[in-house]
Amino acid sequence: MPSVAVIPARNESRTIGQIVKKVLNYVDEVIVVDDGSADNTSNEAEKAGAFIVKHAINLGKGAALKTGCDFATRRRATSIVVMDADGQHMPQDIPKFLNKLKEYDVVIGYRSYGQTMPVVFRIGNRIIELASLVLFGLHVRDTQCGFRAFRSSVYQKLRWKSPDYSVESEMIARISKKRLKYVQIPIETIYADKYKGTTILDGIKIVFNMVRWRVLRSI
Amino acid sequence: MISGVQILGILFGFGLVYLAFLSFKRHEFTPTEWGFWTLLAAAVVLMSLFPQVLDPVVARLKFARALDLYVILGFMFLISALFYTYTISRRTQVRVEELVRKMAINEAMHKRRK
């Protein structure tokens, strides 16, 4: 099974069905990890053609992504695309990621800091970008963009410990530590809900974690 | 003449003895745990009734008064309890995560085989 999309989801019954149907046009299988949803996320995703892996309780985005990627490697996927379940990422960008995986280990999408990105996200992203550059020597635009792809062969080197929103930054830290070949590509984004996703407190925690990883060399 | 701080200490000590006893009766504490907390509470009551008991220790450690020693000991105890609770909490969090993820993958693999 060459390419798999892993989509962690929690209470996304409104959007998950459409996303799965669109993503299936570009990958061989879609794995939706239901991270303790209280609504019909699993059923909607399954009806649309996704394979469901369900957490009994909510663990967080990082844990859900890890479950999905562990499962994808067991299913012998060669390329893994990870994306969000809220319709923020355009499935038609997937071929760009898969194409770049022919020469790079990891492909990271970046969103433009245009007028559509909420101000708080823009400021927070800039701060985390700066922290990545100072702490890990990697200039990565939009470190919190969850639209990424990597080869299964490098998954064990990338495999993260963070159970929460720190997963994106930890991946970047691991790319630096393991000297993986990476590239960034621009993606389109839609912000349907300004208040969803990482909060200011999450941002502070992410920067704190980055400092901890660097100082303690714990990744 | 007994001071207000001493009265507070005695009341706190007796309160702790009562709560430890309740936990023991509810089978939440083992006899050892009940014994430990009761002894600690008894020590608090005794030190409140007879603060001069610790005068040699206070003088040796060069504290101005016994209350300063109690405050420092209290902080040390709180920090230790906090560290212990944090360690247990982190360990439980990691174990729960591993268990939930393992169960999810096993269930999915089993479903796939069907």
Side-chain angles (χ1 to χ4, degrees), chain A residues 66 159-164 170 174 218-219, chain B residues 97:
Chain A
K66 192 156 67 174
R159 196 169 183 266
W160 46 92
K161 289 181 186 169
S162 302
D164 53 17
E170 189 180 339
R174 287 180 181 274
S218 57
I219 55 150
Chain B
E97 188 198 316

Side-chain angles (χ1 to χ4, degrees), chain B residues 2 4 9 21 29 36 47 62 75-76 82 91 95 99:
Chain B
I2 198 164
F21 177 70
F29 274 3
F36 169 76
M47 285 195 295
K62 294 186 172 38
F75 269 120
M76 285 168 66
L82 185 66
R91 200 181 299 161
R95 282 177 181 170
L99 179 65

Side-chain angles (χ1 to χ4, degrees), chain A:
Chain A
M1 179 172 309
S3 62
V4 172
V6 172
I7 308 177
R10 186 179 180 226
N11 298 332
E12 301 283 6
S13 58
R14 203 174 45 87
T15 53
I16 194 69
Q18 301 159 36
I19 290 167
V20 167
K21 279 184 190 146
K22 287 179 188 172
V23 171
L24 275 171
N25 290 325
Y26 305 104
V27 296
D28 297 297
E29 187 170 83
V30 175
I31 296 170
V32 169
V33 183
D34 183 343
D35 191 22
S37 297
D39 64 5
N40 270 334
T41 297
S42 289
N43 292 339
E44 293 298 321
E46 200 166 23
K47 270 195 294 188
F51 195 82
I52 307 300
V53 183
K54 206 167 175 173
H55 283 169
I57 57 170
N58 171 248
L59 294 180
K61 183 179 181 183
L65 262 181
K66 192 156 67 174
T67 300
C69 293
D70 283 352
F71 190 70
T73 50
R74 279 207 204 190
R75 304 272 302 131
R76 307 220 192 290
T78 53
S79 308
I80 299 174
V81 179
V82 299
M83 58 193 298
D84 292 349
D86 55 4
Q88 207 186 99
H89 301 141
M90 302 289 110
Q92 48 267 37
D93 284 333
I94 290 174
K96 290 195 276 181
F97 283 84
L98 295 176
N99 203 33
K100 286 289 183 186
L101 277 184
K102 290 174 190 166
E103 27 168 338
Y104 294 94
D105 295 322
V106 186
V107 185
I108 304 172
Y110 68 89
R111 300 161 290 188
S112 64
Y113 288 159
Q115 292 306 307
T116 55
M117 186 184 274
V119 174
V120 167
F121 281 14
R122 268 187 266 162
I123 295 170
N125 264 319
R126 291 274 191 218
I127 292 170
I128 297 172
E129 264 180 47
L130 184 61
S132 286
L133 182 61
V134 167
L135 296 167
F136 302 110
L138 285 191
H139 182 215
V140 175
R141 275 176 285 195
D142 195 10
T143 54
Q144 297 311 109
C145 179
F147 202 173
R148 300 174 178 197
F150 44 86
R151 297 180 187 168
S152 298
S153 54
V154 304
Y155 173 57
Q156 287 305 319
K157 292 181 185 177
L158 262 184
R159 196 169 183 266
W160 46 92
K161 289 181 186 169
S162 302
D164 53 17
Y165 284 115
S166 300
V167 57
E168 270 102 21
S169 300
E170 189 180 339
M171 259 198 239
I172 288 165
R174 287 180 181 274
I175 288 169
S176 168
K177 184 172 179 179
K178 303 291 180 185
R179 300 183 203 282
L180 299 175
K181 274 178 65 179
Y182 76 100
V183 71
Q184 287 204 271
I185 57 176
I187 59 167
E188 291 299 316
T189 312
I190 296 174
Y191 289 95
D193 186 340
K194 274 200 275 189
Y195 301 102
K196 207 161 185 188
T198 47
T199 62
I200 293 173
L201 285 177
D202 289 321
I204 293 169
K205 191 177 174 191
I206 288 166
V207 174
F208 175 77
N209 279 335
M210 289 168 80
V211 172
R212 184 169 56 88
W213 297 327
R214 187 72 184 95
V215 169
L216 298 178
R217 297 179 196 275
S218 57
I219 55 150

